[in-house]
Amino acid sequence: MNIGILSRQPELYSTRRLVEAAKERGHSVRVIDPLLCYMTIASQRPTIHYKGEEIGGFDAIIPRIGASITFYGTAVGRQFEMMNTFCVNESVAISRSRDKLRSLQLLARKGIGLPVTGFAHSTKFTKDLVSQVGGAPLVVKLLEGTQGIGVVLTETQKAAESVIEAFRGLKENILVQEYIKEAQGADIRCFVVGDRVIAAMKRQGVEGEFRSNIHRGGEATVARLTPEERSTAVRSANIMGLNVAGVDILRSNHGPVVMEVNSSPGIEGIEKATGKDVADRIIQFIEKNAKPGKTRTRGNG
């Protein structure tokens, strides 16, 4: 098979591992910087050009699109879909997962457990908004934040109001969420491929830090999932329309609650924590599913 990987940085661990896994299984693979692609939009023959040449003929595309280039990266993915190329995660699914508010609304509509979440444009009724999510302590999040950046734990009502007003003063969109104290600064990253959780790790924040992101010093260990946690992770990825996803779950007193569904989950942390060959499982998924006509939206999303 001929596989393309949309990635701006070929040297990143996740990209390198996918290249290695594809080659080990006998496939041709090429890393493509989506920002260097340019396209002709035509109903009869849509094309993609890269560094002065027309590219195509891929059996599958693996999008590794960072949050900062979501708009253009998904446009490139959508163009491949229009060319009837199988995309591991389709453009509409990536866009859906990157919109934190939209993704939470979709998950809630399907009955997935979530932290109680509030969203507002005006700061005139901040006190009522805070009370709607159970009061302080609570978590305030920037909608566009990643890797724990733009996430603040506010211990008191007054602190919550001050942070909310400060963020809104900067014209930032924010979410406020109940603080799941019983999680004790830990979450579970479930790595979903297709209809299965292929690996799971527990990420524990450093002492005094409620965010468990490995980028913020969190430690990762193998996690043993309950059947409910496993089912929640798979259902969440399916609701987003993602074939490959990292689903972040907190263990609350009322069962697993989903914090986020990530469309470009990192491979390094999960492989090192669990010892599982996650990259190989992604390539195996492509081998089974990358057939003409398998793209569901074909650029319609």
Side-chain angles (χ1 to χ4, degrees):
M1 295 178 69
N2 190 13
I3 299 172
I5 302 174
L6 296 181
S7 172
R8 295 213 64 209
Q9 297 176 290
E11 69 278 7
L12 285 181
Y13 180 95
S14 296
T15 304
R16 286 192 291 105
R17 284 291 297 115
L18 288 167
V19 170
E20 290 169 4
K23 288 181 176 179
E24 285 172 5
R25 297 187 69 83
H27 304 299
S28 298
V29 60
R30 184 178 184 181
V31 179
I32 302 163
D33 182 343
L35 293 189
L36 296 182
C37 292
Y38 47 104
M39 303 161 277
T40 55
I41 315 299
S43 57
Q44 297 300 318
R45 188 174 176 272
T47 63
I48 297 179
H49 294 255
Y50 182 65
K51 295 183 177 180
E53 64 171 311
E54 183 177 339
I55 58 172
F58 291 105
D59 297 294
I61 290 292
I62 305 174
R64 297 290 308 176
I65 297 169
S68 64
I69 64 162
T70 297
F71 177 79
Y72 197 82
T74 53
V76 174
R78 192 157 50 244
Q79 189 80 352
F80 276 112
E81 292 162 20
M82 291 173 63
M83 295 162 62
N84 204 24
T85 303
F86 176 79
C87 287
V88 173
N89 281 336
E90 293 183 17
S91 57
V92 67
I94 295 170
S95 298
R96 193 183 289 137
S97 68
R98 288 282 162 80
D99 185 335
K100 290 183 182 179
L101 180 60
R102 182 185 181 192
S103 62
L104 288 173
Q105 289 171 322
L106 290 170
L107 294 171
R109 188 167 68 185
K110 294 295 185 178
I112 298 294
L114 303 169
V116 179
T117 302
F119 179 74
H121 177 76
S122 172
T123 57
K124 289 183 179 179
F125 307 101
T126 298
K127 287 184 179 179
D128 191 42
L129 178 66
V130 169
S131 69
Q132 293 301 315
V133 299
L138 58 80
V139 177
V140 183
K141 292 183 176 181
L142 292 178
L143 275 183
E144 289 77 23
T146 60
Q147 297 179 350
I149 299 170
V151 181
V152 180
L153 173 62
T154 58
E155 300 279 2
T156 67
Q157 174 88 14
K158 198 65 180 175
E161 293 174 14
S162 296
V163 171
I164 291 168
E165 289 174 5
F167 279 156
R168 288 300 301 136
L170 296 172
K171 308 299 182 185
E172 296 284 356
N173 290 312
I174 59 169
L175 293 174
V176 294
Q177 288 184 325
E178 70 169 317
Y179 173 53
I180 309 298
K181 184 178 181 180
E182 58 270 24
Q184 298 180 329
D187 73 358
I188 308 295
R189 162 60 63 90
C190 303
F191 206 106
V192 178
V193 177
D195 291 321
R196 294 189 62 190
V197 176
I198 63 162
M201 63 177 173
K202 179 181 179 181
R203 301 182 298 189
Q204 179 68 56
V206 297
E207 188 175 351
E209 173 61 77
F210 78 101
R211 295 169 294 184
S212 57
N213 307 71
I214 294 175
H215 290 86
R216 312 210 69 80
E219 294 185 358
T221 56
V222 177
R224 293 185 178 275
L225 301 181
T226 67
E228 185 181 9
E229 289 167 345
R230 198 173 292 275
S231 172
T232 295
V234 172
R235 287 179 60 212
S236 298
N238 289 344
I239 290 166
M240 291 295 104
L242 296 169
N243 291 314
V244 174
V247 182
D248 297 336
I249 289 175
L250 294 182
R251 287 171 166 164
S252 77
N253 290 333
H254 48 277
V257 295
V258 174
M259 296 297 293
E260 186 175 2
V261 182
N262 192 317
S263 59
S264 293
I267 295 176
E268 182 173 10
I270 196 90
E271 284 196 338
K272 290 182 176 179
T274 65
K276 294 189 176 180
D277 194 337
V278 171
D280 183 74
R281 296 293 291 273
I282 294 172
I283 302 303
Q284 286 186 49
F285 175 84
I286 291 172
E287 292 171 350
K288 294 177 182 176
N289 292 277
K291 299 173 184 176
K294 284 298 289 285
T295 296
R296 288 170 291 187
T297 58
R298 297 197 186 183
N300 294 329

